[in-house]
Amino acid sequence: GNAALGKGKAITRKNRVKGFFSIAAPTPREVNEIGKSTLLLWFAAFYGRMFKDPRMAVLFHTEIEEANVSAATHGKRLCLALLSRWTGDREYYSFTENGAHIFQRLYVSHERAKGCPMRSPDLRHGPFTKDQRDSWLGHLWYAGRECGVPMKYVEKTTDHLCTFIGVYGPFVDTDPTKA
């Protein structure tokens, strides 16, 4: 958890001055070079790391059926959503019920995470913390490295998502033990 937090803080610092979506997503050619199966493994490993981090685990409301799924399922959802945006891959729409719109699903998921009863009462239904934002980025970076994704793609993907993550803000400072 703390290594991921430190790495995420470094990613955030590096990209702070850049604008929203100022770093391009991986191109279809780059996605093809990485391989869809590798990307799915990467995002499954990413959620596996998040489930083990107490700072992040409090965001997963396991009493809700849709949220009480494996790291591989969470990873597949996010990976396929990103691939649909980056490459036009259509598998995401067959994976979700009723072909739900990506941004609607992301909004619902993040609002549910903010209200998770495992969060401390002073943060429940409030914003994510800066440490949660940075841990998210750090876990993504480490999971990519652990899965053998070429580092140029790990860097590009985490930098790109760092310039996008602000849509889930504002982020608050807080005692990380209460996140």
Side-chain angles (χ1 to χ4, degrees):
N2 287 332
L5 175 60
K7 183 61 181 173
K9 285 182 182 297
I11 293 166
T12 299
R13 272 193 307 277
K14 175 172 77 169
N15 292 295
R16 182 176 317 152
V17 297
K18 298 176 174 80
F20 187 65
F21 276 143
S22 61
I23 297 173
T27 65
R29 182 189 57 76
E30 291 168 331
V31 166
N32 191 52
E33 287 176 19
I34 300 166
K36 188 173 184 177
S37 61
T38 299
L39 284 164
L40 289 166
L41 288 173
W42 176 9
F43 281 83
F46 163 60
Y47 276 94
R49 292 180 59 86
M50 298 234 300
F51 288 173
K52 293 176 188 168
D53 181 345
R55 181 181 298 113
M56 304 306 289
V58 299
L59 301 175
F60 295 93
H61 191 348
T62 56
E63 293 177 11
I64 295 176
E65 184 178 343
E66 185 178 332
N68 189 18
V69 296
S70 68
T73 299
H74 277 287
K76 185 175 185 178
R77 287 175 181 163
L78 178 57
C79 183
L80 292 177
L82 292 172
L83 287 176
S84 74
R85 301 294 299 167
W86 297 344
T87 69
D89 185 293
R90 303 294 299 166
E91 187 177 353
Y92 172 81
Y93 296 100
S94 64
F95 184 65
T96 61
E97 59 277 357
N98 304 320
H101 189 277
I102 292 168
F103 293 110
Q104 174 62 26
R105 302 249 331 158
L106 289 170
Y107 173 80
V108 168
S109 297
H110 288 90
E111 288 304 304
R112 182 175 46 237
K114 289 177 181 179
C116 186
M118 294 186 295
R119 289 186 93 192
S120 66
D122 58 320
L123 289 173
R124 198 168 308 133
H125 299 291
F128 294 118
T129 68
K130 291 177 183 178
D131 284 352
Q132 286 170 327
R133 173 200 62 202
D134 295 339
S135 293
W136 191 95
L137 291 164
H139 283 302
L140 184 64
W141 188 93
Y142 275 110
R145 186 179 79 172
E146 291 162 2
C147 289
V149 177
M151 288 310 295
K152 67 182 179 178
Y153 298 135
V154 171
E155 296 284 340
K156 182 174 186 174
T157 303
T158 54
D159 288 348
H160 167 69
L161 292 173
C162 182
T163 65
F164 176 76
I165 203 168
V167 300
Y168 299 109
F171 301 96
V172 295
D173 288 312
T174 191
D175 175 352
T177 63
K178 293 183 178 181

